[in-house]
Amino acid sequence: MIAWLSQILVPLTVGYIVGFGLLSRRPVFDDFLAGAMSGLRTVGEILPTLIGLMAAVGVLRASGLLDAIARVLETPAAWLHFPKELIPLSLVRLVSNSAATGLALDLFTRYGPDSPVGMAASVLLSCTETVFYCLSMYFGSIHVGKTRYAVPGALFATGVGIAVSILLTC
């Protein structure tokens, strides 16, 4: 039943949208083209930011700077009972979801997904957000220069997510 429903859901949704547009006497194809053009303009505007973030994460991982920062933060993390293996993951998660997922897969390979570190990594990824990626994409796409409380609020929420993920799994 669910497989059948999932197979017809997309065609039903597209049919509903086209049917509603036709009943409303809208130029459906022209509206589609205008929306596609607007989407392409948005992609063109945010692409440099996306490329810059991806390059920055790649440089951090390849240069060893991420590991050096993790070594510096090991002692404070130990005071907070924060597993040192999760330090790079929590730092990269602020910038890139795909890089954080790659680090989590490395942790799964090394420690196992059912280990305390693997479970903490899974919960950490689901309790946090890619703060700098989202802020740069959303605010950059609409040309907002002053973010006011968005960065501190997002970092605070991410800190709470990290703390809760550690409390739940370790």
Side-chain angles (χ1 to χ4, degrees), residues 131-132 134-135 139 144 146-158:
V131 173
F132 296 113
C134 287
L135 291 178
F139 288 144
V144 172
K146 297 182 179 179
T147 59
R148 193 162 179 152
Y149 298 117
V151 174
L155 289 175
F156 176 75
T158 296

Side-chain angles (χ1 to χ4, degrees), residues 5-79:
L5 183 64
S6 67
Q7 288 177 349
I8 67 161
L9 196 58
V10 171
L12 254 163
T13 303
V14 170
Y16 173 77
I17 292 170
V18 170
F20 185 79
L22 291 174
L23 289 175
S24 301
R25 300 186 191 274
R26 298 279 312 159
V28 177
F29 190 69
D30 293 339
D31 288 347
F32 168 75
L33 290 178
M37 186 64 70
S38 174
L40 282 175
R41 268 190 237 107
T42 302
V43 167
E45 290 175 3
I46 66 174
L47 193 61
T49 306
L50 182 62
I51 291 170
L53 285 171
M54 291 172 64
V57 169
V59 167
L60 276 176
R61 286 189 76 184
S63 69
L65 182 61
L66 189 61
D67 294 329
I69 293 171
R71 281 192 299 275
V72 168
L73 294 176
E74 279 181 11
T75 303
W79 295 335

